[in-house]
């Protein structure tokens, strides 16, 4: 009879699940929210331990493992808009890593049996980690670059309405209102449309100079970028928070066109 120490099993699965979540974030081009990843990894490690208890053996069945993968994805990536993309990427990374562990084990003459990882040669584990991470980094270079981007959660309130935006942090953003001196962030027109009455919101996609007379409480501010100079429609929100921290110094500027093609963010701050 094989003796399994639950503390060792929990620690091993915790490390493995955390690695798998990091690799998934790398593939999907998401920021590394390590606190959420640690929580999801702890969920997976605890599940693995429970599956070895005779009364909870059903947790090791294939359908229940799919439930676990979904629960871990919710815990780690629940704030993302494309949750199911993350879920399937997590399944793919898990399958890749499992295959790498099995292949490395066979190469060293070590077989793997059983549902949970109860005993793994550390050299096999390290080799599998290295192979998987190298493949992920090689194939998903663009996503890995995206993962280094800092995305902030911005809440904007105006006239009793509220929108929540994912804003890409741009340290080179020098947009400001020359009259008041207030800094400004830029949001897509569709993202802030719920803050305005329907007749005014329809003008947000029009050229800023044409839209300004039709939307009360807005003004024009100059902007400059790689494509030249121009004007943006801007307004002062009733309240703005960035990652939960109130910011009274910010104006909101409106871009008639989408700011990013991949849907990762709707604003630039």
């Amino acid at each position: 009879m094989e003796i399994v120490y639950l503390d060792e099993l929990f620690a091993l699965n915790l490390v493995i699940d955390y690695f798998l979540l990091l690799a998934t974030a790398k593939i999907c081009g998401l920021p590394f929210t390590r606190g959420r990843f640690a929580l999801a990894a702890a969920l997976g490690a605890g599940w693995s331990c429970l599956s070895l208890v005779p009364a909870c053996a059903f947790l090791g069945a294939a359908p229940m493992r799919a439930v676990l993968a979904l629960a871990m994805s919710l815990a780690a990536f629940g704030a993302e808009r494309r949750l199911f993309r993350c879920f399937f990427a997590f399944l793919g990374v898990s399958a890749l890593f499992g295959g790498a562990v099995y292949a490395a084990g066979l190469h060293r003459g070590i077989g793997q049996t059983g549902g949970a990882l109860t005993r793994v040669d550390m050299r096999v584990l390290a080799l599998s980690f290295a192979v998987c991470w190298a493949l992920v980094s090689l194939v998903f270079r663009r996503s890995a670059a995206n993962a280094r981007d800092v995305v902030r959660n911005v809440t904007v309130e105006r006239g009793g309405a509220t929108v929540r935006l994912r804003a890409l942090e741009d340290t080179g953003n020098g947009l400001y209102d020359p009259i008041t001196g207030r800094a400004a962030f830029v949001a897509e027109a569709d993202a802030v449309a719920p803050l305005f009455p329907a007749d005014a919101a329809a003008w947000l996609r029009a050229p800023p100079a044409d839209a300004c007379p039709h939307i009360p409480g807005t003004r024009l501010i100059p902007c400059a970028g790689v494509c030249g100079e121009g004007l943006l429609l801007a307004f002062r929100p009733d309240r703005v928070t960035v990652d939960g921290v109130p910011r009274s110094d910010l104006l909101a500027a409106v871009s008639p066109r989408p700011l990013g093609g991949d849907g990762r963010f709707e604003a630039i701050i």
Side-chain angles (χ1 to χ4, degrees):
M1 177 183 296
E2 182 180 7
I3 298 176
V4 178
Y5 296 96
L6 289 182
D7 56 344
E8 294 181 1
L9 175 64
F10 182 86
L12 177 62
N13 280 275
L14 182 69
V15 171
I16 291 173
D17 290 341
Y18 187 80
F19 162 79
L20 296 178
L21 292 166
L22 283 179
T24 301
K26 196 177 185 73
I27 287 175
C28 297
L30 302 176
F32 290 172
T33 52
R34 291 180 170 82
R36 296 185 69 118
F37 293 176
L39 176 63
L43 173 63
W47 188 294
S48 297
C49 292
L50 282 176
S51 68
L52 296 181
V53 177
C56 301
F58 67 93
L59 294 177
M64 297 306 297
R65 291 191 189 184
V67 172
L68 171 62
L70 180 58
M72 292 177 64
S73 298
L74 280 169
F77 310 113
E80 303 301 327
R81 301 179 69 183
R82 299 180 180 180
L83 175 62
F84 282 98
R85 176 172 175 249
C86 300
F87 169 62
F88 288 114
F90 180 57
L91 291 180
V93 170
S94 300
L96 175 64
F97 177 73
V101 170
Y102 184 75
L106 290 180
H107 178 71
R108 295 186 56 83
I110 304 170
Q112 294 294 329
T113 60
L117 275 170
T118 57
R119 184 186 301 171
V120 180
D121 183 278
M122 292 308 296
R123 285 171 290 186
V124 169
L125 193 61
L127 177 61
S128 302
F129 276 172
V131 170
C132 288
W133 195 261
L135 286 174
V136 167
S137 299
L138 180 64
V139 177
F140 298 96
R141 287 181 179 176
R142 174 59 182 168
S143 296
N146 289 342
R148 292 192 291 269
D149 293 337
V150 177
V151 179
R152 305 294 186 185
N153 295 309
V154 178
T155 301
V156 185
E157 299 179 11
R158 182 180 187 271
T162 302
V163 295
R164 292 173 176 81
L165 312 172
R166 291 181 59 79
L168 178 68
E169 184 177 72
D170 179 8
T171 56
N173 178 19
L175 186 64
Y176 72 99
D177 178 9
I179 297 176
T180 64
R182 290 179 179 270
F185 67 93
V186 185
E188 296 177 358
D190 289 344
V192 297
L195 298 175
F196 297 87
D199 55 342
W203 282 96
L204 293 175
R205 302 169 189 84
D210 296 337
C212 189
H214 298 275
I215 308 178
T218 61
R219 69 191 74 169
L220 297 174
I221 60 175
C223 66
V226 294
C227 296
E229 298 181 352
L231 296 171
L232 285 178
L233 193 70
F235 63 95
R236 182 177 179 180
D238 297 335
R239 187 170 185 266
V240 178
T241 65
V242 179
D243 288 341
V245 179
R247 293 283 301 272
S248 59
D249 60 326
L250 287 177
L251 294 178
V254 182
S255 171
R257 295 179 295 275
L259 296 174
D262 56 5
R264 290 191 310 117
F265 57 89
E266 307 92 6
I268 297 175
I269 191 168

